Amino acid sequence: MLNVPSQSFPGSSSQQRVSSGGRSKVPLKQGRSLMDWIRLTKSGKDLTGLKGRLIEVTEEELKKHNKKDDCWICIRGFVYNVSPYMEYHPGGEEELMRGAGSDGTDLFDQVHRWVNYESMLKECLVGRMAVKPAFPKGMLPKSQVTDPLAKEGPSSPSYDWFQTDALVTIVIYTKQKDINLDSVIADHRHDSFRAETVIKDYSYLIHIALSHEIQEDFSVRVVENVGKIEIVLKKKENTSWKCLGHPLENHNSLIPKKDTGLYYRKCQLISKEDVTHDTKLFCLLLPPSTHLQVPTGQHVYFKLTITGTEIVKPYTPVSDSLFSEFKEPVLPNNKYIYFLIKIYPAGLFTPELDHLQIGDYVSVSNPEGNFKISQFQELEDLFLLAAGTGFTPMVKVLSYALTNIPSLRKVKLMFFNKTEDDIIWRSQLEKLAFKDKRFDLEFVLSAPTSEWNGKRGYISPALLSEFLKRSLDTSKVLICICGPMPFTEQGMKLLHDLNFSKDEIHSFTA
């Protein structure tokens, strides 16, 4: 008997990447929206062609199903008949056909990592791949003879624990010096405790069913110069623990970040404020039993169940404003996360998000993204190109650069919108430009009123060549770009035409 895969998030890494490629969407026929697909999956129609049976699929059998009207694809050991989905796929039929009749896991991870395919395609499940014959005793496939981590990855961390009458302290020795509080994501749920430490492109996991009960809140401390992490748990009863607990899935493992699944916790909606006519600032409260700080330039995923199907969307956290009159203290237990989100009335996800009442919950994932703070080292000129809500990753990038980079001479933001009413945080941006002489600001509108005196139009060679002037000929430069896919793709092409190197450009795409 085959088990239908659980509704867990697929192994995932970032959808943010530095590339001019990105994923292109194709126009879908009328009646082929995501909502139409969900209706079809609920209709009771046989989408596998197997009348509800689940089968074991051999490699030979999989290879036979490689045509548009008979297309099977394997993702992480499970085989799906994706023929019914062809016309509903936002990336087009050709992209799906690249994996026809084969294991499409790597292809999927390159482009669709964050998509919750198990929920989207559950009615298309054909079955599980047949298990390959085991190797004769004493023989291992070549890839298993040597440990790739020994060559490529960081040194394997270790952990220990000790206790007093009232406290239990878990100590993680990462053997790295660039570990900080946002490297650690910890969650306590029921009796299980989970602490993931991001070390370069790897994830080290402590995952334990604790032997005794603890209180909801706990503290995390990092000794950066030696890469030591201390997680202090408070006992519910002052009794001596004989052991920390027993190991759960992937405990004490170090694996590539791209191979880890995303972990979710339910966050409570605390407030929702209008920012523009169609954009709102959402404030979410993390559970007391969670430690999570989203690194600058990274995003999380929201997960909502809409008409019985799990839908997932990426969002980049922002601060609650561009600056405060008094410098905020850095609170390691800061529990609030803010998001600027544009509400699309005809959309599927954002209207549901907007209908949430204060006190309701939304599932929020671990952080994802490949933006590295090290890109700021010795930076002299920072150029930000944003369109619409592509402004959101720029908020923390801008704040971090102005506050923490002593070598910085100039930060310039070119912000593209349709009308003046669409400009997010306009007064705050203008106030910041007035207060910090290193910051320059330009608004570009594509559909302004006749009274508009600023720049007009779309991203173009003329606009960029004037905007992207270094403070010195030899200045170290970073250009960040984010917006709708056509804006980002066009911008990347223009930046390459202007002879900026890949190392000088970071594209936020999702």
Side-chain angles (χ1 to χ4, degrees), residues 4-12 34 37 41 73-82 85 89 96 103-106 108-109 112-125 127 261-262 264 303 309-312:
V4 177
S6 65
Q7 304 253 328
S8 61
F9 208 89
S12 165
L34 178 56
W37 172 250
T41 64
I73 292 177
C74 173
I75 305 175
R76 292 192 177 82
F78 290 94
V79 179
Y80 299 89
N81 179 358
V82 297
Y85 184 57
H89 184 233
L96 270 183
D103 189 326
T105 305
D106 287 345
F108 178 88
D109 282 346
H112 305 79
R113 301 177 183 103
W114 58 277
V115 174
N116 197 336
Y117 69 95
E118 292 170 310
S119 182
M120 294 279 292
L121 297 176
K122 63 186 175 186
E123 299 303 325
C124 301
L125 180 68
L262 282 182
Y264 285 86
K303 182 166 68 175
T309 298
E310 287 180 348
I311 308 294
V312 177

Side-chain angles (χ1 to χ4, degrees), residues 2 5 21 25 76 121 194 229 240 337 422 462 492:
L2 287 168
K25 291 190 174 185
R76 292 192 177 82
L121 297 176
R194 188 182 190 281
I229 298 161
S240 179
I337 318 183
D422 294 317
M492 293 292 287

